[in-house]
């Protein structure tokens, strides 16, 4: 059997040979997480982060990717955030508000707007908070992101137990001032859980709730779109 496997044509990718497959990554901005992920986030395509609830620091973890996209003169897209985003705090976190677009609507419209943005070529990084995606919805978003060289982060309110056609899936959960991070699907073998802790992440987690404000006190930036 081993001889049969070893005789497979070299162009056929084997799940156990991650190191043999050249891949490109983008730094997460946290050394410990970069080391754990063996380089950082995939340069493009969909990354699903399964969470037990929204708002415990997941956006803070993704801020470096959003800022990196804006350096290339592309927009960062935030779709269906679980609360109104605070423009001033986003600016203080390093985001260029003129290149940050927020979309809030019903699920069908959110998915449509997100897919169109990915296909436009002007979006380099996007975050979509969701209650769960169907197989077809996940596949459409993955194709749109990968074919247009965009990083798409899906913050999904589930435990990751159902199968989705996504190349990278992880579980995130808060533990004190740390984030438990477990990659259970990727190109290669799964990774054991790790507890991410750094002074930079700790500062972000402490400031995370400032990114969201009560909707009645929100100062709306010009580039917040509520689709009907």
């Amino acid at each position: 059997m081993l001889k049969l496997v070893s005789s497979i044509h070299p162009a056929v990718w084997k799940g156990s040979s991650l190191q043999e497959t050249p891949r490109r990554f983008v730094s997460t901005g946290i050394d410990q997480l970069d080391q754990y992920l063996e380089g950082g986030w995939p340069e493009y395509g969909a990354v699903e982060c399964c969470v037990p609830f929204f708002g415990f620091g997941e956006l803070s973890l993704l801020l470096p990717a959003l800022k990196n996209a804006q350096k290339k003169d592309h927009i960062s897209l935030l779709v269906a955030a679980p609360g109104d985003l605070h423009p001033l705090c986003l600016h203080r976190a390093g985001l260029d508000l003129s290149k940050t677009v927020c979309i809030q609507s019903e699920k069908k419209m959110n998915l449509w707007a997100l897919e169109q943005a990915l296909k436009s070529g002007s979006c380099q990084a996007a975050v979509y908070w969701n209650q769960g995606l169907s197989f077809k919805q996940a596949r459409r978003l993955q194709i749109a992101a990968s074919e247009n060289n965009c990083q798409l982060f899906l913050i999904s309110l589930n435990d990751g137990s159902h199968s989705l056609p996504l190349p990278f899936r992880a579980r995130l959960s808060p533990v004190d001032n740390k984030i438990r991070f477990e990659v259970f699907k990727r190109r290669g073998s799964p990774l054991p859980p790790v507890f991410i802790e750094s002074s930079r992440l700790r500062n972000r987690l402490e400031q995370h709730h400032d990114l969201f404000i009560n909707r009645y006190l929100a100062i709306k930036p010009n580039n917040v779109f509520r689709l009907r």
Side-chain angles (χ1 to χ4, degrees), residues 3 13-14 25 63 72 75-76 102 116 124 135 137 159 163 172 183:
K3 291 183 179 180
W13 179 80
K14 299 184 288 294
F25 300 93
L63 282 174
K72 302 175 183 178
I75 66 169
S76 295
C102 305
Q116 298 309 307
Q124 190 75 35
F135 190 95
Q137 290 168 343
D159 59 4
S163 177
L172 280 66
V183 176

Side-chain angles (χ1 to χ4, degrees), residues 28-188:
T28 64
I30 300 173
D31 293 340
Q32 183 188 1
L33 188 54
D34 283 348
Q35 184 177 4
Y36 172 71
L37 296 176
E38 300 175 352
W41 301 117
E43 185 179 31
Y44 55 84
V47 170
E48 184 184 34
C49 298
C50 302
V51 299
F53 56 89
F54 295 140
F56 65 81
E58 68 278 4
L59 178 56
S60 300
L61 195 64
L62 303 177
L63 282 174
L66 298 175
K67 291 188 289 185
N68 183 67
Q70 294 181 342
K71 292 178 182 178
K72 302 175 183 178
D73 204 29
H74 288 79
I75 66 169
S76 295
L77 186 64
L78 303 172
V79 182
D84 287 312
L85 292 162
H86 196 307
L88 181 58
C89 288
L90 289 176
H91 175 69
R92 288 177 176 174
L95 292 184
D96 183 342
L97 295 184
S98 67
K99 299 177 183 177
T100 303
V101 177
C102 305
I103 294 177
Q104 288 282 359
S105 186
E106 61 180 2
K107 182 176 180 178
K108 182 178 180 180
M109 292 300 294
N110 284 333
L111 285 168
W112 176 84
L114 175 57
E115 185 176 356
Q116 298 309 307
L118 296 175
K119 291 180 177 179
S120 71
S122 61
C123 178
Q124 190 75 35
V127 181
Y128 174 39
W129 287 265
N130 65 90
Q131 303 283 341
L133 298 172
S134 69
F135 190 95
K136 181 179 179 180
Q137 290 168 343
R139 178 173 173 78
R140 288 178 66 96
L141 292 177
Q142 160 60 15
I143 292 175
S146 60
E147 289 186 349
N148 294 279
N149 299 328
C150 179
Q151 282 183 302
L152 171 60
F153 297 96
L154 301 169
I155 310 300
S156 303
L157 196 63
N158 62 62
D159 59 4
S161 59
H162 61 295
S163 177
L164 287 178
L166 301 173
F168 190 108
R169 304 182 73 194
R171 295 187 184 94
L172 280 66
S173 58
V175 180
D176 297 326
N177 288 326
K178 306 175 185 177
I179 290 182
R180 183 182 185 275
F181 199 106
E182 177 190 6
V183 176
F184 63 93
K185 180 182 178 182
R186 66 167 185 161
R187 290 181 176 176

